[in-house]
Amino acid sequence: MLTADFDNITVLTAVNPDVFAGYAHGPIPDNNLGWKPIAFTTAIAGSTRKYDIKAANIVANPPPNQALVLNKENIGVYDILVNPPRQMCGMVLLDRPSMRRHIRHEHSGALVMPDCRAKRREDIISAHNAIKRWILQLGWQNASYVHGPSRGPDNSLVGFWCDTLERIA
Ligand SMILES: [Zn+2]
């Protein structure tokens, strides 16, 4: 990778969220902070200690405010704001089922549940440009996380590009 990959106009003008693909990195506002579907609140108000929120619960009882779209290509960390204006969740995204479960349980009204279609080439390109721009502008380096990843999951895009930037700096 060359320096040119980082200061080309496409990276410098990258937007996040992309109007179609969604957020590639945070901070992602939670427009329904603390919201849970009725099925959950009903179960917890009764004798149930732990209720597994299902996607159908959220579909049946959608949150009041607009949920946002996470790009399927993203930095690999939950960049959802949990303590606005700055502090984000910071848990690392694992496999798709546990990712969906974490979103349903911890950020129930924040994100549109991702569909099962594969990510598109446009999703990937817009995400890579947005993440590069975020690293260049020190957004990643200054990010504040409750669960505090130091650099995201192994082999993450952020780790890769941070290393690259250190080498070319
Ligand atoms: Zn989270």
Side-chain angles (χ1 to χ4, degrees), residues 56-73:
N57 298 150
I58 297 172
V59 172
N61 162 226
N65 304 310
Q66 180 71 53
L68 302 175
V69 176
L70 178 69
N71 192 331
K72 286 174 182 170
E73 182 80 351

Side-chain angles (χ1 to χ4, degrees), residues 77-80 82 88-92 102-103 106-107 147:
V77 177
Y78 290 106
D79 267 358
I80 298 160
V82 290
M88 300 177 273
C89 166
M91 296 272 285
V92 169
H102 182 81
I103 292 172
E106 306 301 327
H107 313 286
H147 298 290

